[in-house]
Amino acid sequence: ILPFVPVNQILLLLLVLTVCVILYNKVHQIPSALQNETVDLESPEETEEEIPVVVCAAAGRMGATVAAISSIYSNTEANVLFYIVGLKTTIPHIRKWIENSKLKEIKFKVVEFNPMVLKGKIRQDASRPELLQPLNFVRFYLPLLIQKHEKVIYLDDDIIVQGDIQELYDTKLAPGHAAAFSDDCDLPSTHEIVRSVGMQNTYMGFLDYRKQAIRDLGISPSTCSFNPGVIVANMTEWKHQRITKQLEKWMQRNVEENLYSSTLGGGVATSPMLIVFHGKYSAINPMWHIRHLGWSPDTRYSEHFLQEAKLLHWNGRYKPWDYPSVHTDLWENWFIPDPSGKFKLTRPDS
């Protein structure tokens, strides 16, 4: 015979069991909740977006590279990572220069460019031998040199950045466009300079329209050219469209057919890009690429105009580290002397 258990004791027992079940469930939910919280606590803080900037360090021009980097670094709070591309022989010099100057705080990677990739793709041109330097073609091979970034800025070494590089990086690229460039007809203020030095700003100045291969492109010779000394590039589109392969194809055709090397523009690195990117590029804000400062040792822009500019480019023969040249004061503001003493400015009194 079972002992008699009062109803109130049974109810009390059920209540205790219910409380125990609730507590058990809560205890077994805690690890899951803690785990979620731990993931949140341990997940790295959202890091500031890295802005990759590619600039070359060529022999005899490293002062230009240093001044360009100095101007970018000094005028932004952005998280810039500099990719400094050089040949095997020049890399130790530029690394030492950076590490032994106030630029030692920058984030940078040194990348070696192998000129063997250009074998059979460059036609010798005695009129402008400096344009055949291997590093002039680094911009063709951006995805091979820069692996982990979706968007990249490429800059020639003969530039100075006066604005915040974040603005240039924020340039919008239209869907399907692998790059953004500055159109050579984009700024009325530069037209007078272009006319005064007899410089070309159309495809006629870069491509030889006497050649059938050029006429077959169907590009009007009066089409405005663009300048690839400043590029904002989308690496995904670049690889998808096989831009590097297309550029190499036109380099090889030029070796065989002389399509552009001896024409007025002398643009051995510009001409293939004009062909491959025709009608398929986005625009850079004109004030982010004020050009032609190196086209004449006499012709000058107004100081007010240059103060407003975000980026200055001494494209042409007359470089600001040489003599003669114009607006050298704006360039020298950012120049850092070579600790090794190998690179020296050329000045009238030197």
Side-chain angles (χ1 to χ4, degrees), residues 69-320:
I69 292 171
S70 170
S71 69
I72 296 164
Y73 180 65
S74 301
N75 286 309
T76 188
E77 296 295 324
N79 180 22
V80 180
L81 172 60
F82 292 97
Y83 284 87
I84 302 169
V85 186
L87 303 180
K88 192 173 186 178
T89 53
T90 62
I91 284 174
H93 186 187
I94 194 69
R95 186 186 290 279
K96 186 176 179 182
W97 196 332
I98 289 170
E99 291 175 349
N100 289 280
S101 72
K102 65 181 182 182
L103 291 180
K104 61 180 177 287
E105 297 177 354
I106 70 169
K107 288 171 60 180
F108 74 101
K109 292 182 179 180
V110 175
V111 181
E112 182 182 339
F113 182 69
N114 185 353
M116 289 305 294
V117 300
L118 302 173
K119 191 173 181 181
K121 301 184 184 77
I122 301 177
R123 183 185 184 91
Q124 294 304 310
D125 188 350
S127 64
R128 294 289 301 277
E130 75 276 13
L131 296 176
L132 300 176
Q133 296 300 320
L135 296 180
N136 276 342
F137 301 92
V138 161
R139 70 198 93 193
F140 289 15
Y141 296 95
L142 292 176
L144 302 180
L145 298 167
I146 314 301
Q147 302 290 329
K148 66 173 187 171
H149 301 282
E150 166 74 9
K151 197 175 187 182
V152 171
I153 294 173
Y154 166 87
L155 300 173
D156 276 353
D157 60 1
D158 51 357
I159 63 99
I160 288 296
V161 172
Q162 300 186 135
D164 185 341
I165 198 73
Q166 180 76 54
E167 289 180 33
L168 181 60
Y169 185 75
D170 289 341
T171 298
K172 301 293 184 196
L173 273 68
H177 285 178
F181 304 101
S182 295
D183 195 283
D184 282 330
C185 302
D186 60 7
L187 206 59
S189 305
T190 66
H191 295 175
E192 187 178 337
I193 295 281
V194 170
R195 283 194 300 271
S196 67
V197 298
M199 199 186 76
Q200 294 292 312
N201 62 357
T202 65
Y203 273 58
M204 175 66 86
F206 293 88
L207 305 178
D208 189 348
Y209 276 83
R210 295 171 298 180
K211 301 293 171 68
Q212 189 62 44
I214 297 301
R215 293 200 299 271
D216 287 347
L217 291 169
I219 302 172
S220 168
S222 62
T223 301
C224 234
S225 51
F226 58 80
N227 186 299
V230 176
I231 307 172
V232 181
N234 179 313
M235 293 292 93
T236 302
E237 280 295 337
W238 193 292
K239 287 182 277 192
H240 175 68
Q241 297 179 33
R242 298 169 62 84
I243 296 293
T244 298
K245 289 291 182 190
Q246 291 188 59
L247 292 167
E248 287 184 325
K249 181 191 85 169
W250 283 102
M251 291 170 77
Q252 286 167 331
R253 287 198 67 175
N254 182 58
V255 169
E256 297 159 8
E257 304 173 48
N258 194 19
L259 301 175
Y260 51 77
S261 287
S262 59
T263 53
L264 182 60
V268 289
T270 298
S271 299
M273 300 195 91
L274 290 177
I275 295 170
V276 170
F277 284 100
H278 174 252
K280 293 185 293 184
Y281 65 91
S282 297
I284 288 173
N285 179 331
M287 296 306 287
W288 267 100
H289 195 177
I290 301 304
R291 305 180 287 292
H292 320 319
L293 276 77
W295 271 87
S296 166
D298 308 306
T299 309
R300 302 173 66 91
Y301 286 106
S302 79
E303 293 300 326
H304 174 73
F305 176 68
L306 293 183
Q307 292 296 336
E308 296 293 313
K310 305 286 189 177
L311 182 148
L312 306 176
H313 188 184
W314 279 262
N315 58 312
R317 297 173 187 262
Y318 302 98
K319 303 301 185 186

Side-chain angles (χ1 to χ4, degrees), residues 14-27:
L14 287 171
L15 181 62
V16 169
L17 285 171
T18 302
V19 170
C20 286
V21 168
I22 292 169
L23 286 173
Y24 177 84
N25 286 337
K26 282 189 174 294
V27 166

